[in-house]
Amino acid sequence: MSQEDSSRGLTSVGRNDFTHRFADRYKEWLRTTGEETKQEEDRVETYSELPAYEIYGFENEIKSLQHFLLDQKVYKEFKSLVIVGEHGVGKTALCQKIFNDDDVKSVYAPRIWVSMPSNESKEGLDGKICVLKKILKALGVEDSMFESIPKEKELSALLYALHLNLRWKKYMIVFDDVREEDNWNEMLQDDEEKQWGKYLSDGFTKGSGGRVIYTTRDENLAKKLVAEKHEIHRLWPLSDSYSVWKIYEAMILEREKEPPRNDKKCIDELMNKSRGLPLAARLLAELDPVLLENEKADQNGSNEGQTDSVNNLTSEENKTTQPL
């Protein structure tokens, strides 16, 4: 046993036990979430409020979004951006963070959050109509206005209403979790050949510096939503294992449980099982920690050891049982 392992009171048997037990918990999570066989089908409605948990590991992405929204060189130009990444990578949380940034709030009004439809397409409703109504309601348009619109002119009338309500405003709109079935795949740009009142671009005014941000899991759809490749921001899983551990540890502490020892083997195992996905790390933390049997740190039967924090700045005495 190495000096490092001995100082932590962690034997090779204990480390292997953690690996096996954590793997069992991971398989249990896969079974309960269905991620082992298929991607999540039903969407959960999201909101603009800050996430209830701390965000770790996305400092550079936050700075990039701040630059996109606050760049003075293109202050009056209309800009759109797509954040694309797999389920659980943190697209929604990242947008919630920037949506509530004080500097962003001081520049953009109105700011509108649109959680994309989940059941409308299944019910045969037009995705564009549903989304336009959501935006107009957020702008204060009453339901009675929609009732007076003839069905054959509904799309053009809603686009015109949106255009009037956004005119001369520096707006910011987030469309969270856009999918192909939403029928929401047009680039929001000017095109003189298009007939007014038919295309989504007509509703979004272009001369006052409006910004539109999409999130999607679909790489092909992302390419349809913007004109240039640089308008696509790919969000990758975290590569920093300590950021993933912080996410996991924060959720454990929120549940008023004692976090497992942050032995490098445990941190690496968590990184391997979560694949760097913040959602996976948080969901794994919701499982009850596993308790290892008492492990002797030396031949004299002492069961005391030291546990290191993630930043190696503090330590505390181990208890007789270690939650893993």
Side-chain angles (χ1 to χ4, degrees):
M1 181 170 58
S2 69
Q3 183 177 357
E4 179 182 18
D5 285 343
S6 178
S7 66
R8 288 173 174 164
L10 186 64
T11 65
S12 59
V13 174
R15 286 189 279 106
N16 290 333
D17 198 17
F18 173 87
T19 300
H20 295 151
R21 293 176 185 237
F22 195 98
D24 290 341
R25 289 299 188 272
Y26 177 68
K27 291 177 182 178
E28 179 182 339
W29 169 66
L30 289 177
R31 287 193 298 270
T32 57
T33 60
E35 290 295 321
E36 192 170 33
T37 57
K38 64 182 180 63
Q39 192 179 53
E40 182 185 54
E41 294 181 355
D42 295 327
R43 280 180 283 194
V44 177
E45 187 171 2
T46 62
Y47 303 93
S48 62
E49 290 79 8
L50 280 169
Y53 46 84
E54 189 68 31
I55 296 176
Y56 295 100
F58 289 114
E59 291 79 9
N60 291 334
E61 286 76 9
I62 292 173
K63 290 179 181 178
S64 177
L65 279 178
Q66 287 173 330
H67 176 74
F68 168 73
L69 292 168
L70 303 173
D71 186 4
Q72 294 295 319
K73 295 179 181 179
V74 290
Y75 187 79
K76 291 187 177 181
E77 295 181 22
F78 172 83
K79 294 287 184 180
S80 61
L81 182 75
V82 182
I83 301 174
V84 60
E86 63 180 295
H87 175 53
V89 76
K91 303 182 296 296
T92 298
L94 182 61
C95 285
Q96 289 169 330
K97 178 74 172 179
I98 200 68
F99 192 89
N100 290 280
D101 181 86
D102 289 337
D103 292 333
V104 171
K105 290 165 68 174
S106 69
V107 171
Y108 290 92
R111 293 174 303 112
I112 301 172
W113 183 278
V114 181
S115 182
M116 292 300 288
S118 55
N119 296 319
E120 286 88 341
S121 57
K122 296 179 182 179
E123 296 172 357
L125 301 177
D126 189 303
K128 294 179 184 178
I129 298 295
C130 295
V131 170
L132 288 171
K133 286 182 177 180
K134 284 185 178 181
I135 299 173
L136 287 168
K137 288 179 180 179
L139 290 168
V141 176
E142 300 291 338
D143 288 336
S144 57
M145 179 266 187
F146 305 130
E147 298 172 358
S148 62
I149 301 175
K151 289 296 181 182
E152 64 273 11
K153 296 182 179 180
E154 190 171 22
L155 179 58
S156 60
L158 293 175
L159 287 169
Y160 182 64
L162 179 60
H163 183 88
L164 291 178
N165 278 273
L166 292 180
R167 188 167 49 177
W168 304 310
K169 295 177 181 177
K170 192 171 180 63
Y171 58 88
M172 171 185 174
I173 304 177
V174 175
F175 297 100
D176 190 35
D177 198 9
V178 184
R179 301 190 186 183
E180 189 72 47
E181 62 265 27
D182 297 328
N183 193 25
W184 191 258
N185 56 3
E186 295 176 22
M187 287 179 280
L188 303 181
Q189 59 181 350
D190 292 316
D191 191 333
E192 295 180 356
E193 297 181 0
K194 291 182 178 179
Q195 181 181 354
W196 200 98
K198 183 178 180 182
Y199 296 95
L200 298 175
S201 295
D202 300 327
F204 295 87
T205 55
K206 306 302 191 297
S208 54
R211 296 288 185 272
V212 170
I213 299 175
Y214 307 94
T215 74
T216 184
R217 308 176 195 177
D218 190 333
E219 179 86 19
N220 292 325
L221 177 58
K223 297 175 182 177
K224 298 177 183 178
L225 292 168
V226 292
E228 303 292 339
K229 289 183 178 180
H230 70 267
E231 296 173 334
I232 298 177
H233 182 94
R234 290 172 179 82
L235 193 60
W236 303 104
L238 293 171
S239 58
D240 176 15
S241 59
Y242 285 98
S243 292
V244 176
W245 184 265
K246 287 179 181 178
I247 295 170
Y248 177 80
E249 186 177 49
M251 288 298 294
I252 290 287
L253 293 173
E254 183 178 317
R255 299 179 67 234
E256 299 182 350
K257 302 289 185 179
E258 184 178 347
R261 288 170 300 205
N262 53 357
D263 174 80
K264 185 178 184 301
K265 181 74 173 181
C266 303
I267 294 174
D268 290 344
E269 187 66 19
L270 174 64
M271 184 68 180
N272 178 51
K273 295 305 181 185
S274 67
R275 295 192 299 109
L277 297 174
L279 177 61
R282 290 196 303 275
L283 291 177
L284 285 167
E286 292 179 2
L287 299 170
D288 287 334
V290 180
L291 296 179
L292 284 183
E293 295 179 359
N294 295 345
E295 295 176 3
K296 294 184 178 181
D298 51 47
Q299 295 179 352
N300 294 327
S302 173
N303 59 8
E304 293 181 354
Q306 297 296 322
T307 179
D308 298 333
S309 64
V310 172
N311 57 16
N312 292 321
L313 294 178
T314 62
S315 63
E316 63 181 16
E317 182 176 301
N318 284 343
K319 297 184 178 180
T320 55
T321 57
Q322 298 293 337
L324 298 180

